[in-house]
mmCIF file of all heavy atoms in Angstrom:
data_model
loop_
_atom_site.group_PDB
_atom_site.id
_atom_site.type_symbol
_atom_site.label_atom_id
_atom_site.label_comp_id
_atom_site.label_asym_id
_atom_site.label_seq_id
_atom_site.Cartn_x
_atom_site.Cartn_y
_atom_site.Cartn_z
ATOM 1 N N VAL C 251 -28.730 -12.607 -265.008
ATOM 2 C CA VAL C 251 -29.366 -13.124 -266.215
ATOM 3 C C VAL C 251 -28.571 -14.299 -266.763
ATOM 4 O O VAL C 251 -29.111 -15.325 -267.154
ATOM 5 C CB VAL C 251 -29.503 -12.011 -267.269
ATOM 6 C CG1 VAL C 251 -30.028 -12.590 -268.561
ATOM 7 C CG2 VAL C 251 -30.419 -10.907 -266.761
ATOM 8 N N ASP C 252 -27.220 -14.162 -266.768
ATOM 9 C CA ASP C 252 -26.377 -15.240 -267.275
ATOM 10 C C ASP C 252 -26.519 -16.493 -266.410
ATOM 11 O O ASP C 252 -26.567 -17.606 -266.928
ATOM 12 C CB ASP C 252 -24.919 -14.789 -267.302
ATOM 13 C CG ASP C 252 -24.664 -13.707 -268.335
ATOM 14 O OD1 ASP C 252 -25.494 -13.590 -269.267
ATOM 15 O OD2 ASP C 252 -23.661 -13.002 -268.197
ATOM 16 N N ALA C 253 -26.545 -16.302 -265.086
ATOM 17 C CA ALA C 253 -26.692 -17.447 -264.184
ATOM 18 C C ALA C 253 -28.041 -18.128 -264.392
ATOM 19 O O ALA C 253 -28.136 -19.360 -264.396
ATOM 20 C CB ALA C 253 -26.539 -16.988 -262.728
ATOM 21 N N ALA C 254 -29.087 -17.320 -264.602
ATOM 22 C CA ALA C 254 -30.408 -17.896 -264.833
ATOM 23 C C ALA C 254 -30.442 -18.675 -266.140
ATOM 24 O O ALA C 254 -31.018 -19.766 -266.210
ATOM 25 C CB ALA C 254 -31.463 -16.789 -264.843
ATOM 26 N N ALA C 255 -29.822 -18.097 -267.194
ATOM 27 C CA ALA C 255 -29.790 -18.786 -268.489
ATOM 28 C C ALA C 255 -29.006 -20.086 -268.391
ATOM 29 O O ALA C 255 -29.408 -21.121 -268.944
ATOM 30 C CB ALA C 255 -29.185 -17.876 -269.549
ATOM 31 N N LEU C 256 -27.873 -20.046 -267.667
ATOM 32 C CA LEU C 256 -27.070 -21.259 -267.495
ATOM 33 C C LEU C 256 -27.841 -22.319 -266.729
ATOM 34 O O LEU C 256 -27.803 -23.509 -267.056
ATOM 35 C CB LEU C 256 -25.769 -20.911 -266.766
ATOM 36 C CG LEU C 256 -24.782 -22.070 -266.570
ATOM 37 C CD1 LEU C 256 -24.328 -22.625 -267.921
ATOM 38 C CD2 LEU C 256 -23.577 -21.598 -265.754
ATOM 39 N N GLY C 257 -28.568 -21.874 -265.694
ATOM 40 C CA GLY C 257 -29.378 -22.817 -264.930
ATOM 41 C C GLY C 257 -30.474 -23.450 -265.770
ATOM 42 O O GLY C 257 -30.747 -24.643 -265.654
ATOM 43 N N THR C 258 -31.095 -22.636 -266.643
ATOM 44 C CA THR C 258 -32.137 -23.157 -267.522
ATOM 45 C C THR C 258 -31.577 -24.184 -268.490
ATOM 46 O O THR C 258 -32.186 -25.234 -268.737
ATOM 47 C CB THR C 258 -32.811 -22.012 -268.300
ATOM 48 O OG1 THR C 258 -33.389 -21.097 -267.369
ATOM 49 C CG2 THR C 258 -33.906 -22.545 -269.211
ATOM 50 N N TRP C 259 -30.403 -23.897 -269.057
ATOM 51 C CA TRP C 259 -29.759 -24.846 -269.965
ATOM 52 C C TRP C 259 -29.427 -26.157 -269.245
ATOM 53 O O TRP C 259 -29.652 -27.245 -269.783
ATOM 54 C CB TRP C 259 -28.488 -24.228 -270.552
ATOM 55 C CG TRP C 259 -28.711 -23.551 -271.851
ATOM 56 C CD1 TRP C 259 -29.268 -22.317 -272.060
ATOM 57 C CD2 TRP C 259 -28.398 -24.072 -273.144
ATOM 58 N NE1 TRP C 259 -29.312 -22.039 -273.397
ATOM 59 C CE2 TRP C 259 -28.785 -23.076 -274.088
ATOM 60 C CE3 TRP C 259 -27.828 -25.249 -273.596
ATOM 61 C CZ2 TRP C 259 -28.624 -23.266 -275.458
ATOM 62 C CZ3 TRP C 259 -27.663 -25.426 -274.964
ATOM 63 C CH2 TRP C 259 -28.066 -24.449 -275.875
ATOM 64 N N ALA C 260 -28.885 -26.038 -268.026
ATOM 65 C CA ALA C 260 -28.538 -27.245 -267.281
ATOM 66 C C ALA C 260 -29.788 -28.060 -266.962
ATOM 67 O O ALA C 260 -29.779 -29.295 -267.058
ATOM 68 C CB ALA C 260 -27.803 -26.858 -265.988
ATOM 69 N N LEU C 261 -30.856 -27.372 -266.579
ATOM 70 C CA LEU C 261 -32.107 -28.059 -266.272
ATOM 71 C C LEU C 261 -32.674 -28.737 -267.515
ATOM 72 O O LEU C 261 -33.144 -29.888 -267.461
ATOM 73 C CB LEU C 261 -33.105 -27.062 -265.705
ATOM 74 C CG LEU C 261 -34.354 -27.617 -265.011
ATOM 75 C CD1 LEU C 261 -33.978 -28.522 -263.853
ATOM 76 C CD2 LEU C 261 -35.238 -26.477 -264.522
ATOM 77 N N THR C 262 -32.614 -28.043 -268.651
ATOM 78 C CA THR C 262 -33.103 -28.618 -269.911
ATOM 79 C C THR C 262 -32.283 -29.841 -270.301
ATOM 80 O O THR C 262 -32.829 -30.879 -270.713
ATOM 81 C CB THR C 262 -33.048 -27.564 -271.030
ATOM 82 O OG1 THR C 262 -33.835 -26.425 -270.650
ATOM 83 C CG2 THR C 262 -33.589 -28.135 -272.335
ATOM 84 N N ALA C 263 -30.950 -29.731 -270.168
ATOM 85 C CA ALA C 263 -30.088 -30.875 -270.487
ATOM 86 C C ALA C 263 -30.391 -32.054 -269.571
ATOM 87 O O ALA C 263 -30.412 -33.213 -270.003
ATOM 88 C CB ALA C 263 -28.619 -30.474 -270.366
ATOM 89 N N GLY C 264 -30.660 -31.760 -268.285
ATOM 90 C CA GLY C 264 -31.007 -32.831 -267.358
ATOM 91 C C GLY C 264 -32.291 -33.539 -267.749
ATOM 92 O O GLY C 264 -32.397 -34.766 -267.609
ATOM 93 N N VAL C 265 -33.259 -32.776 -268.257
ATOM 94 C CA VAL C 265 -34.502 -33.380 -268.728
ATOM 95 C C VAL C 265 -34.218 -34.349 -269.869
ATOM 96 O O VAL C 265 -34.774 -35.465 -269.910
ATOM 97 C CB VAL C 265 -35.500 -32.286 -269.173
ATOM 98 C CG1 VAL C 265 -36.653 -32.899 -269.967
ATOM 99 C CG2 VAL C 265 -36.031 -31.542 -267.964
ATOM 100 N N PHE C 266 -33.341 -33.961 -270.809
ATOM 101 C CA PHE C 266 -33.064 -34.837 -271.948
ATOM 102 C C PHE C 266 -32.234 -36.052 -271.538
ATOM 103 O O PHE C 266 -32.355 -37.117 -272.157
ATOM 104 C CB PHE C 266 -32.379 -34.047 -273.058
ATOM 105 C CG PHE C 266 -33.357 -33.297 -273.927
ATOM 106 C CD1 PHE C 266 -33.631 -31.958 -273.712
ATOM 107 C CD2 PHE C 266 -34.041 -33.953 -274.942
ATOM 108 C CE1 PHE C 266 -34.549 -31.280 -274.491
ATOM 109 C CE2 PHE C 266 -34.964 -33.285 -275.728
ATOM 110 C CZ PHE C 266 -35.222 -31.941 -275.497
ATOM 111 N N VAL C 267 -31.391 -35.913 -270.515
ATOM 112 C CA VAL C 267 -30.699 -37.095 -270.001
ATOM 113 C C VAL C 267 -31.718 -38.084 -269.439
ATOM 114 O O VAL C 267 -31.664 -39.290 -269.722
ATOM 115 C CB VAL C 267 -29.668 -36.703 -268.919
ATOM 116 C CG1 VAL C 267 -29.122 -37.957 -268.236
ATOM 117 C CG2 VAL C 267 -28.526 -35.910 -269.530
ATOM 118 N N LEU C 268 -32.651 -37.571 -268.642
ATOM 119 C CA LEU C 268 -33.690 -38.432 -268.067
ATOM 120 C C LEU C 268 -34.564 -39.041 -269.156
ATOM 121 O O LEU C 268 -34.843 -40.252 -269.147
ATOM 122 C CB LEU C 268 -34.544 -37.612 -267.101
ATOM 123 C CG LEU C 268 -35.751 -38.341 -266.481
ATOM 124 C CD1 LEU C 268 -35.292 -39.534 -265.659
ATOM 125 C CD2 LEU C 268 -36.565 -37.378 -265.611
ATOM 126 N N ALA C 269 -35.002 -38.220 -270.123
ATOM 127 C CA ALA C 269 -35.859 -38.721 -271.197
ATOM 128 C C ALA C 269 -35.113 -39.747 -272.047
ATOM 129 O O ALA C 269 -35.688 -40.760 -272.466
ATOM 130 C CB ALA C 269 -36.330 -37.560 -272.071
ATOM 131 N N GLY C 270 -33.826 -39.505 -272.321
ATOM 132 C CA GLY C 270 -33.034 -40.469 -273.077
ATOM 133 C C GLY C 270 -32.866 -41.775 -272.327
ATOM 134 O O GLY C 270 -32.878 -42.856 -272.926
ATOM 135 N N ALA C 271 -32.716 -41.694 -270.994
ATOM 136 C CA ALA C 271 -32.575 -42.908 -270.195
ATOM 137 C C ALA C 271 -33.842 -43.749 -270.257
ATOM 138 O O ALA C 271 -33.790 -44.984 -270.361
ATOM 139 C CB ALA C 271 -32.249 -42.541 -268.751
ATOM 140 N N VAL C 272 -35.000 -43.092 -270.206
ATOM 141 C CA VAL C 272 -36.272 -43.813 -270.321
ATOM 142 C C VAL C 272 -36.368 -44.493 -271.682
ATOM 143 O O VAL C 272 -36.774 -45.650 -271.792
ATOM 144 C CB VAL C 272 -37.453 -42.845 -270.099
ATOM 145 C CG1 VAL C 272 -38.771 -43.534 -270.411
ATOM 146 C CG2 VAL C 272 -37.459 -42.325 -268.665
ATOM 147 N N LYS C 273 -35.987 -43.770 -272.738
ATOM 148 C CA LYS C 273 -36.035 -44.355 -274.079
ATOM 149 C C LYS C 273 -35.054 -45.520 -274.211
ATOM 150 O O LYS C 273 -35.363 -46.537 -274.838
ATOM 151 C CB LYS C 273 -35.736 -43.293 -275.136
ATOM 152 C CG LYS C 273 -35.871 -43.823 -276.564
ATOM 153 C CD LYS C 273 -35.738 -42.706 -277.577
ATOM 154 C CE LYS C 273 -35.884 -43.232 -279.002
ATOM 155 N NZ LYS C 273 -37.191 -43.870 -279.233
ATOM 156 N N GLY C 274 -33.863 -45.375 -273.628
ATOM 157 C CA GLY C 274 -32.897 -46.463 -273.684
ATOM 158 C C GLY C 274 -33.375 -47.705 -272.979
ATOM 159 O O GLY C 274 -33.048 -48.826 -273.382
ATOM 160 N N LEU C 275 -34.176 -47.519 -271.932
ATOM 161 C CA LEU C 275 -34.670 -48.659 -271.169
ATOM 162 C C LEU C 275 -35.910 -49.283 -271.784
ATOM 163 O O LEU C 275 -36.038 -50.507 -271.853
ATOM 164 C CB LEU C 275 -34.968 -48.221 -269.728
ATOM 165 C CG LEU C 275 -35.413 -49.300 -268.753
ATOM 166 C CD1 LEU C 275 -34.310 -50.346 -268.577
ATOM 167 C CD2 LEU C 275 -35.765 -48.690 -267.410
ATOM 168 N N LEU C 276 -36.845 -48.431 -272.277
ATOM 169 C CA LEU C 276 -38.148 -48.922 -272.738
ATOM 170 C C LEU C 276 -38.335 -48.873 -274.243
ATOM 171 O O LEU C 276 -39.265 -49.480 -274.774
ATOM 172 C CB LEU C 276 -39.280 -48.117 -272.085
ATOM 173 C CG LEU C 276 -39.381 -48.178 -270.566
ATOM 174 C CD1 LEU C 276 -40.524 -47.306 -270.087
ATOM 175 C CD2 LEU C 276 -39.546 -49.605 -270.090
ATOM 176 N N GLY C 277 -37.493 -48.111 -274.970
ATOM 177 C CA GLY C 277 -37.668 -47.968 -276.408
ATOM 178 C C GLY C 277 -38.610 -46.847 -276.798
ATOM 179 O O GLY C 277 -38.857 -46.615 -277.973
ATOM 180 N N LEU C 278 -39.148 -46.117 -275.839
ATOM 181 C CA LEU C 278 -40.046 -44.994 -276.087
ATOM 182 C C LEU C 278 -40.012 -44.093 -274.865
ATOM 183 O O LEU C 278 -39.427 -44.438 -273.837
ATOM 184 C CB LEU C 278 -41.484 -45.458 -276.343
ATOM 185 C CG LEU C 278 -42.318 -45.975 -275.169
ATOM 186 C CD1 LEU C 278 -43.767 -46.105 -275.593
ATOM 187 C CD2 LEU C 278 -41.841 -47.322 -274.645
ATOM 188 N N GLY C 279 -40.619 -42.905 -274.989
ATOM 189 C CA GLY C 279 -40.739 -42.037 -273.831
ATOM 190 C C GLY C 279 -39.959 -40.744 -273.906
ATOM 191 O O GLY C 279 -40.168 -39.858 -273.084
ATOM 192 N N LEU C 280 -39.051 -40.585 -274.900
ATOM 193 C CA LEU C 280 -38.260 -39.351 -274.948
ATOM 194 C C LEU C 280 -39.142 -38.121 -275.148
ATOM 195 O O LEU C 280 -39.041 -37.162 -274.376
ATOM 196 C CB LEU C 280 -37.176 -39.446 -276.021
ATOM 197 C CG LEU C 280 -36.138 -38.321 -276.026
ATOM 198 C CD1 LEU C 280 -34.781 -38.820 -276.511
ATOM 199 C CD2 LEU C 280 -36.564 -37.136 -276.884
ATOM 200 N N PRO C 281 -40.026 -38.077 -276.153
ATOM 201 C CA PRO C 281 -40.870 -36.891 -276.288
ATOM 202 C C PRO C 281 -41.870 -36.741 -275.151
ATOM 203 O O PRO C 281 -42.174 -35.625 -274.724
ATOM 204 C CB PRO C 281 -41.583 -37.106 -277.630
ATOM 205 C CG PRO C 281 -41.547 -38.572 -277.838
ATOM 206 C CD PRO C 281 -40.256 -39.044 -277.235
ATOM 207 N N THR C 282 -42.372 -37.863 -274.639
ATOM 208 C CA THR C 282 -43.358 -37.794 -273.564
ATOM 209 C C THR C 282 -42.754 -37.163 -272.318
ATOM 210 O O THR C 282 -43.316 -36.235 -271.732
ATOM 211 C CB THR C 282 -43.875 -39.198 -273.230
ATOM 212 O OG1 THR C 282 -44.292 -39.845 -274.416
ATOM 213 C CG2 THR C 282 -45.031 -39.143 -272.248
ATOM 214 N N VAL C 283 -41.594 -37.672 -271.893
ATOM 215 C CA VAL C 283 -40.951 -37.160 -270.686
ATOM 216 C C VAL C 283 -40.474 -35.729 -270.890
ATOM 217 O O VAL C 283 -40.682 -34.857 -270.035
ATOM 218 C CB VAL C 283 -39.782 -38.075 -270.275
ATOM 219 C CG1 VAL C 283 -38.996 -37.467 -269.118
ATOM 220 C CG2 VAL C 283 -40.306 -39.454 -269.886
ATOM 221 N N SER C 284 -39.820 -35.472 -272.023
ATOM 222 C CA SER C 284 -39.271 -34.134 -272.248
ATOM 223 C C SER C 284 -40.377 -33.082 -272.363
ATOM 224 O O SER C 284 -40.271 -32.003 -271.767
ATOM 225 C CB SER C 284 -38.379 -34.115 -273.503
ATOM 226 O OG SER C 284 -39.085 -34.568 -274.637
ATOM 227 N N MET C 285 -41.453 -33.379 -273.100
ATOM 228 C CA MET C 285 -42.548 -32.414 -273.211
ATOM 229 C C MET C 285 -43.232 -32.191 -271.862
ATOM 230 O O MET C 285 -43.549 -31.053 -271.489
ATOM 231 C CB MET C 285 -43.584 -32.892 -274.232
ATOM 232 C CG MET C 285 -43.224 -32.593 -275.673
ATOM 233 S SD MET C 285 -43.149 -30.834 -276.053
ATOM 234 C CE MET C 285 -44.856 -30.353 -275.819
ATOM 235 N N ALA C 286 -43.458 -33.268 -271.121
ATOM 236 C CA ALA C 286 -44.140 -33.139 -269.838
ATOM 237 C C ALA C 286 -43.353 -32.266 -268.872
ATOM 238 O O ALA C 286 -43.929 -31.429 -268.158
ATOM 239 C CB ALA C 286 -44.372 -34.521 -269.231
ATOM 240 N N LEU C 287 -42.035 -32.430 -268.838
ATOM 241 C CA LEU C 287 -41.217 -31.680 -267.887
ATOM 242 C C LEU C 287 -40.865 -30.286 -268.397
ATOM 243 O O LEU C 287 -40.922 -29.315 -267.637
ATOM 244 C CB LEU C 287 -39.944 -32.473 -267.566
ATOM 245 C CG LEU C 287 -40.176 -33.806 -266.845
ATOM 246 C CD1 LEU C 287 -38.854 -34.504 -266.581
ATOM 247 C CD2 LEU C 287 -40.926 -33.590 -265.536
ATOM 248 N N LEU C 288 -40.504 -30.169 -269.674
ATOM 249 C CA LEU C 288 -40.153 -28.853 -270.199
ATOM 250 C C LEU C 288 -41.346 -27.902 -270.174
ATOM 251 O O LEU C 288 -41.184 -26.694 -269.976
ATOM 252 C CB LEU C 288 -39.622 -28.980 -271.629
ATOM 253 C CG LEU C 288 -38.268 -29.674 -271.800
ATOM 254 C CD1 LEU C 288 -37.916 -29.796 -273.283
ATOM 255 C CD2 LEU C 288 -37.166 -28.936 -271.066
ATOM 256 N N ALA C 289 -42.554 -28.445 -270.365
ATOM 257 C CA ALA C 289 -43.751 -27.604 -270.363
ATOM 258 C C ALA C 289 -44.047 -27.015 -268.994
ATOM 259 O O ALA C 289 -44.896 -26.130 -268.873
ATOM 260 C CB ALA C 289 -44.961 -28.410 -270.842
ATOM 261 N N LEU C 290 -43.325 -27.461 -267.957
ATOM 262 C CA LEU C 290 -43.518 -26.889 -266.635
ATOM 263 C C LEU C 290 -42.955 -25.478 -266.535
ATOM 264 O O LEU C 290 -43.390 -24.702 -265.677
ATOM 265 C CB LEU C 290 -42.857 -27.781 -265.572
ATOM 266 C CG LEU C 290 -43.425 -29.202 -265.425
ATOM 267 C CD1 LEU C 290 -42.648 -29.973 -264.378
ATOM 268 C CD2 LEU C 290 -44.907 -29.154 -265.063
ATOM 269 N N TRP C 291 -41.989 -25.123 -267.410
ATOM 270 C CA TRP C 291 -41.399 -23.778 -267.307
ATOM 271 C C TRP C 291 -41.197 -23.069 -268.647
ATOM 272 O O TRP C 291 -40.664 -21.975 -268.687
ATOM 273 C CB TRP C 291 -40.063 -23.820 -266.544
ATOM 274 C CG TRP C 291 -38.924 -24.437 -267.288
ATOM 275 C CD1 TRP C 291 -38.103 -23.847 -268.217
ATOM 276 C CD2 TRP C 291 -38.450 -25.772 -267.147
ATOM 277 N NE1 TRP C 291 -37.165 -24.736 -268.669
ATOM 278 C CE2 TRP C 291 -37.346 -25.921 -268.016
ATOM 279 C CE3 TRP C 291 -38.840 -26.866 -266.364
ATOM 280 C CZ2 TRP C 291 -36.642 -27.118 -268.134
ATOM 281 C CZ3 TRP C 291 -38.129 -28.046 -266.482
ATOM 282 C CH2 TRP C 291 -37.055 -28.156 -267.355
ATOM 283 N N MET C 292 -41.633 -23.672 -269.754
ATOM 284 C CA MET C 292 -41.500 -22.997 -271.039
ATOM 285 C C MET C 292 -42.730 -23.286 -271.897
ATOM 286 O O MET C 292 -43.459 -24.255 -271.642
ATOM 287 C CB MET C 292 -40.225 -23.438 -271.771
ATOM 288 C CG MET C 292 -40.229 -24.874 -272.251
ATOM 289 S SD MET C 292 -38.757 -25.301 -273.246
ATOM 290 C CE MET C 292 -37.437 -25.044 -272.069
ATOM 291 N N PRO C 293 -43.011 -22.449 -272.913
ATOM 292 C CA PRO C 293 -44.143 -22.700 -273.801
ATOM 293 C C PRO C 293 -44.022 -24.050 -274.495
ATOM 294 O O PRO C 293 -42.910 -24.513 -274.796
ATOM 295 C CB PRO C 293 -44.071 -21.552 -274.817
ATOM 296 C CG PRO C 293 -43.295 -20.490 -274.125
ATOM 297 C CD PRO C 293 -42.315 -21.196 -273.245
#
């Protein structure tokens, strides 16, 4: 359970790194990217 939770946190953090990179490059996209990817495995 701990390993799964840690993996989920790492995956979530990776999504925000990617979403932040898109926003840093284009000025938008953080909620779009994060919602699109996070919604693949969470409500």
Side-chain angles (χ1 to χ4, degrees):
V251 174
D252 292 340
L256 183 61
T258 300
W259 267 78
L261 194 58
T262 302
V265 167
F266 277 97
V267 171
L268 176 61
V272 172
K273 184 173 180 60
L275 184 62
L276 298 179
L278 73 168
L280 190 149
T282 309
V283 173
S284 56
M285 278 295 295
L287 295 180
L288 292 177
L290 297 178
W291 72 83
M292 68 175 62

